[in-house]
Amino acid sequence: MAAELLLLLLVCAGGLLLPAEAQDSYDQLPTVDKAGVDLALEQLLTNSGVRHHFRFLKSVEKKERDEGFGVRFLYHHFHLRPTRCAKGTAASDSRICPFRNDRPLMDCAICYKTMDEQIETTPEPYVHCIQRPRLTEEMTTTRMNQWKKMTYRTGGATIMALSTG
């Protein structure tokens, strides 16, 4: 009986620790990824149609292309979860602004270019966030097309293109 009680207690304690770990996953992101998430959060903050405060929940997919000389292109697909704080609250601490489970996740994708870990304004970063249930296949395709468009290269000189005379 005591062993069963101890096991139940450990399972319950583990269940309480898991959400706290997930809530602080933003802190585990590399600096350049945090900058992209911050850009999406800033866009949500300035959008009058969005009524909630959001915090980073988890990364879904990341793509990166290193161009050399400190230049990188990044694609980051992630989820934001609404919190109990009022929109515009600066706090992003899980103890101050806990996640709420009665609202849908915000599904976000961002494509951007960085130079020495700083987001470049050219080309303009692409940010798309929408409530998870409203995300369509067409939107997902558009996101990937933006990534392809941003990272498209015409190529360099080839042997066939070189002139010999």
Side-chain angles (χ1 to χ4, degrees):
M1 180 73 175
E4 290 173 350
L5 184 59
L6 181 61
L7 182 61
L8 180 63
L9 181 62
L10 286 174
V11 169
C12 290
L16 291 174
L17 291 175
L18 184 60
E21 182 181 307
Q23 288 183 10
D24 295 326
S25 58
Y26 174 84
D27 296 332
Q28 308 303 318
L29 290 173
T31 304
V32 72
D33 290 343
K34 284 182 186 177
V37 170
D38 291 344
L39 191 59
L41 287 168
E42 182 182 312
Q43 189 179 73
L44 289 174
L45 180 64
T46 59
N47 186 329
S48 62
V50 177
R51 294 184 301 242
H52 301 288
H53 175 266
F54 289 88
R55 284 197 12 251
F56 178 80
L57 178 64
K58 67 177 182 174
S59 291
V60 177
E61 179 183 13
K62 290 183 192 180
K63 294 177 187 252
E64 180 180 324
R65 191 161 114 195
D66 191 343
E67 296 289 309
F69 304 104
V71 176
R72 292 191 300 170
F73 287 95
L74 293 110
Y75 170 84
H76 191 189
H77 177 202
F78 54 92
H79 290 159
L80 301 173
R81 181 168 288 242
T83 71
R84 301 217 174 268
C85 288
K87 182 179 177 180
T89 303
S92 63
D93 188 302
S94 60
R95 292 165 290 174
I96 298 169
C97 293
F99 288 141
R100 55 188 300 167
N101 295 319
D102 60 342
R103 298 284 183 260
L105 297 177
M106 191 65 73
D107 190 290
C108 295
I110 180 165
C111 304
Y112 54 102
K113 176 183 175 183
T114 64
M115 170 79 86
D116 297 324
E117 304 292 315
Q118 298 295 317
I119 295 179
E120 292 287 295
T121 56
T122 305
E124 185 177 342
Y126 170 79
V127 181
H128 181 260
C129 293
I130 190 161
Q131 286 182 334
R132 183 87 179 117
R134 297 174 51 205
L135 181 67
T136 65
E137 190 63 41
E138 182 180 332
M139 290 175 191
T140 303
T141 301
T142 300
R143 289 173 170 185
M144 290 314 298
N145 287 341
Q146 286 292 329
W147 163 249
K148 290 174 186 173
K149 184 170 101 175
M150 189 173 282
T151 59
Y152 175 75
R153 280 189 279 176
T154 57
T158 65
I159 292 175
M160 305 265 273
L162 296 176
S163 172
T164 58

